[in-house]
């Protein structure tokens, strides 16, 4: 399968002309999803004497990817050991649980079963072997080094059915991951918003979009034009450092400072979720994941399969599935918003997928719930793609940095606090 990557840039129609900046700030964070909020909170905490602004085009935080996901705290099982996804997921998991306890954010460490039929046993065995070899990531508490960073246990199919009796008899083995959990992502985002708003030099600016970015012609930094609401024209400011956390449109912003030949294509993969009320799940208390498809033409790194998750009220949902979106000919970068309305077109496929591990579910119990879109840097034919942290300078002397966070999909929520730590401490030298 092939889909076209969307290659376009902010202010591509040249609607907005250059404006001289009216004032200057130290740090501008673009994007108010959970990652942008985490970065802004970390900046305000680490550099209290410097100004940190977060701008978000929607009226509230987390309107895109951050509010349309499984709300799972991932343990860190699935990605290559030396990848940023593994490193930041492992670290982020610990930071997230710590923050939940410190700020009374609702969460539950449910644990997760990855269930396998006999032919899939090598997959979970390889995950278990990898988990045993992982080291604690940078910034971890040295006192934790004596314990495994990612505990897992291989169990038999019978042991799995003792834990979750509704599982299919064909499940021959499972991998138990006790560190997996669920979180109220909206309360998490509210806690980060509060920290930013309470900081002496922190500012949250909603309903405001970035419409143009230029390297500054005078002092080091970036001239950023902002438009609030339906205003035809906006204001310009000088940001000494820009952190591009725009999620689905992060490449759009980056592309505006790149020559056309070097622009980055954007890919979009929709995931649909179904709520479920019916037989075959009444005793379930843990997350249940099937083995993703592996081998030729599979998408194991793009999707973890149609899994069962719980929310904090005990409601069961299945998903997400994987549906690649083809961009329109007019290259509208927000075309994906038209694909957020859930419908029943995917329910039959989801039902057939879930029946492989929960045989007593009924098709009538599935109802469309919601959809989300993953920001992808590669199309369906590509393999693993790590998080990307790209650094660009405003001038040849290396002054004025823009750090673009690209392809921040799953495990982005779990990794959010660690991503902020990585950007501020490691890339910006905040611990120096």
């Amino acid at each position: 399968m092939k889909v076209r990557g969307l290659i376009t840039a902010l202010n591509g129609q040249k609607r907005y002309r250059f404006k001289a900046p009216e004032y200057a700030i130290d740090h501008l964070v673009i994007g108010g999803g959970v990652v942008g909020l985490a970065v802004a909170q970390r900046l305000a905490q680490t550099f209290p004497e410097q100004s940190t602004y977060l701008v978000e085009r929607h009226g509230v935080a987390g309107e895109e990817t951050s509010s349309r996901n499984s709300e799972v705290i991932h343990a860190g099982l699935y990605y290559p050991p030396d990848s940023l996804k593994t490193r930041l997921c492992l670290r982020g998991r610990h930071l997230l649980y710590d923050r939940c306890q410190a700020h009374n954010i609702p969460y539950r460490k449910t644990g997760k079963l990855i269930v396998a039929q006999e032919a899939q046993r090598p997959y979970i065995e390889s995950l278990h072997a990898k988990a045993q070899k992982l080291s604690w990531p940078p910034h971890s508490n040295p006192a934790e080094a004596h314990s495994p960073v990612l505990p897992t246990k291989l169990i038999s199919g019978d042991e799995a059915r003792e834990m979750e009796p509704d599982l299919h008899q064909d499940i021959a083995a499972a991998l138990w991951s006790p560190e997996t959990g669920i979180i109220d992502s909206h309360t998490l985002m509210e806690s980060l918003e509060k920290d930013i708003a309470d900081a002496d030099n922190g500012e949250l600016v909603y309903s405001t979009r970035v419409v143009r970015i230029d390297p500054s012609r005078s002092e080091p930094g970036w001239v950023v034009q902002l438009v609030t609401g339906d205003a035809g024209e906006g204001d310009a400011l000088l940001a000494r450092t820009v952190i591009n956390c725009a999620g689905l449109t992060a490449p759009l912003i980056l592309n505006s400072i790149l020559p056309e030949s070097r622009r980055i294509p954007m890919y979009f993969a929709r995931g649909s979720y179904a709520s479920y009320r019916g037989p075959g799940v009444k005793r379930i208390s843990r997350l249940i994941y099937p083995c993703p498809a592996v081998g030729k033409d599979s998408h194991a790194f793009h999707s973890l399969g149609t899994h069962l998750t719980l929310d904090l009220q005990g409601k069961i949902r299945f998903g997400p599935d994987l549906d690649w979106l083809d961009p329109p000919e007019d290259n509208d970068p927000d075309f994906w918003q038209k694909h957020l309305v859930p419908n029943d077109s995917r329910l039959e496929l989801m039902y057939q997928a879930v029946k492989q591990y929960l045989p007593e579910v009924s098709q009538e119990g599935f109802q469309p719930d919601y959809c989300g879109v993953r920001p992808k840097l590669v199309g369906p034919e590509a393999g693993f793609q790590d998080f990307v942290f790209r650094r660009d300078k405003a001038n040849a002397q290396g002054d004025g940095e823009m750090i673009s966070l690209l392809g921040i999909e799953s495990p982005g929520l779990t990794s959010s606090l660690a991503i902020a730590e990585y950007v501020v401490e490691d890339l910006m030298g905040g611990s120096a």
Side-chain angles (χ1 to χ4, degrees):
M1 177 186 182
K2 279 201 171 188
V3 297
R4 180 173 69 88
L6 192 157
I7 304 176
T8 188
L10 191 70
N11 199 33
Q13 303 300 316
K14 311 296 183 189
R15 175 182 173 187
Y16 297 94
R17 296 181 178 181
F18 180 82
K19 280 188 175 183
E22 299 171 29
Y23 58 98
I25 62 172
D26 295 299
H27 309 120
L28 177 67
V29 178
I30 304 172
V34 66
V35 171
L37 289 167
V39 170
Q41 188 268 349
R42 189 87 185 196
L43 285 166
Q45 171 188 294
T46 305
F47 303 110
E49 304 303 316
Q50 299 178 14
S51 51
T52 296
Y53 279 42
L54 180 147
V55 294
E56 164 56 44
R57 63 176 177 160
H58 297 289
V60 295
E63 278 288 276
E64 297 183 5
T65 309
S66 297
S67 60
R68 295 174 173 275
N69 60 70
S70 302
E71 292 192 304
V72 170
I73 301 177
H74 289 287
L77 280 167
Y78 290 102
Y79 311 104
D82 58 350
S83 66
L84 283 169
K85 283 189 174 180
T86 292
R87 167 184 167 173
L88 297 173
C89 186
L90 293 173
R91 176 66 177 149
R93 187 190 78 216
H94 279 266
L95 291 173
L96 211 48
Y97 281 134
D98 286 349
R99 185 170 183 89
C100 286
Q101 292 176 336
H103 292 263
N104 295 314
I105 298 165
Y107 79 100
R108 186 182 310 142
K109 197 178 285 191
T110 56
K112 173 172 75 176
L113 284 170
I114 304 171
V115 296
Q117 297 178 359
E118 187 59 46
Q120 299 167 323
R121 189 190 294 266
Y123 176 78
I124 60 170
E125 289 174 346
S126 68
L127 288 183
H128 178 63
K130 181 176 67 178
Q132 308 313 300
K133 297 175 184 176
L134 290 174
S135 302
W136 285 87
H139 303 293
S140 296
N141 185 344
E144 297 170 329
H146 66 280
S147 59
V149 65
L150 181 47
T152 56
K153 183 182 180 183
L154 281 170
I155 62 175
S156 68
D158 288 340
E159 289 173 306
R161 278 181 289 276
E162 284 179 17
M163 297 172 73
E164 297 294 352
D166 292 308
L167 284 171
H168 201 295
Q169 287 297 317
D170 286 349
I171 298 302
L175 185 66
W176 168 238
S177 170
E179 288 298 309
T180 304
I182 53 177
I183 184 172
D184 182 340
S185 61
H186 296 276
T187 305
L188 168 66
M189 289 189 281
E190 288 168 4
S191 80
L192 294 168
E193 285 180 290
K194 183 177 187 305
D195 281 0
I196 298 163
D198 289 349
D200 289 341
N201 288 300
E203 192 79 34
L204 294 163
V205 184
Y206 291 114
S207 300
T208 298
R209 65 192 190 277
V210 175
V211 296
R212 177 170 176 151
I213 298 182
D214 297 272
S216 173
R217 300 169 183 174
S218 52
E219 54 183 304
W222 301 87
V223 178
V224 183
Q225 281 191 51
L226 305 170
V227 171
T228 298
D230 297 325
E233 294 295 323
D235 302 318
L237 59 81
L238 175 78
R240 297 185 179 93
T241 302
V242 172
I243 299 94
N244 173 10
C245 302
L248 288 157
T249 50
L252 179 80
I253 290 168
L254 172 62
N255 284 345
S256 70
I257 67 165
L258 299 178
E260 284 194 37
S261 61
R262 293 175 51 207
R263 288 178 177 173
I264 295 170
M266 296 175 276
Y267 296 88
F268 304 84
R270 181 177 66 173
S272 298
Y273 292 83
S275 62
Y276 182 77
R277 294 184 67 179
V281 296
K282 63 182 178 182
R283 292 171 286 188
I284 285 174
S285 60
R286 302 163 183 87
L287 309 187
I288 302 176
Y289 281 51
C291 290
V294 294
K296 189 177 185 300
D297 298 327
S298 67
H299 308 302
F301 283 125
H302 291 298
S303 171
L304 299 179
T306 302
H307 49 260
L308 178 149
T309 61
L310 304 163
D311 66 16
L312 289 160
Q313 288 71 48
K315 176 184 172 183
I316 286 175
R317 70 170 66 95
F318 292 103
D321 59 4
L322 181 65
D323 182 21
W324 291 90
L325 303 179
D326 259 318
E329 291 304 315
D330 65 2
N331 284 344
D332 174 13
D334 288 327
F335 81 96
W336 55 268
Q337 294 185 10
K338 301 171 185 173
H339 295 269
L340 292 179
V341 179
N343 59 58
D344 60 7
S345 64
R346 313 286 293 181
L347 292 185
E348 168 69 21
L349 289 172
M350 295 178 79
Y351 165 66
Q352 293 298 335
V354 171
K355 265 184 55 174
Q356 300 301 307
Y357 60 95
L358 291 171
E360 298 303 318
V361 295
S362 71
Q363 187 169 350
E364 295 71 32
F366 287 76
Q367 294 295 325
D369 198 355
Y370 62 94
C371 303
V373 177
R374 305 173 180 96
K376 296 283 192 179
L377 293 177
V378 293
E381 71 282 357
F384 173 72
Q385 172 61 56
D386 207 354
F387 292 153
V388 172
F389 296 80
R390 179 184 166 119
R391 308 173 78 171
D392 291 274
K393 304 292 185 180
N395 62 35
Q397 289 72 47
D399 300 318
E401 186 160 53
M402 180 190 294
I403 302 173
S404 294
L405 282 57
L406 306 173
I408 310 296
E409 51 165 335
S410 183
L413 171 61
T414 305
S415 304
S416 56
L417 300 180
I419 288 171
E421 181 180 66
Y422 179 70
V423 169
V424 177
E425 309 296 329
D426 297 336
L427 300 185
M428 297 177 62
S431 58

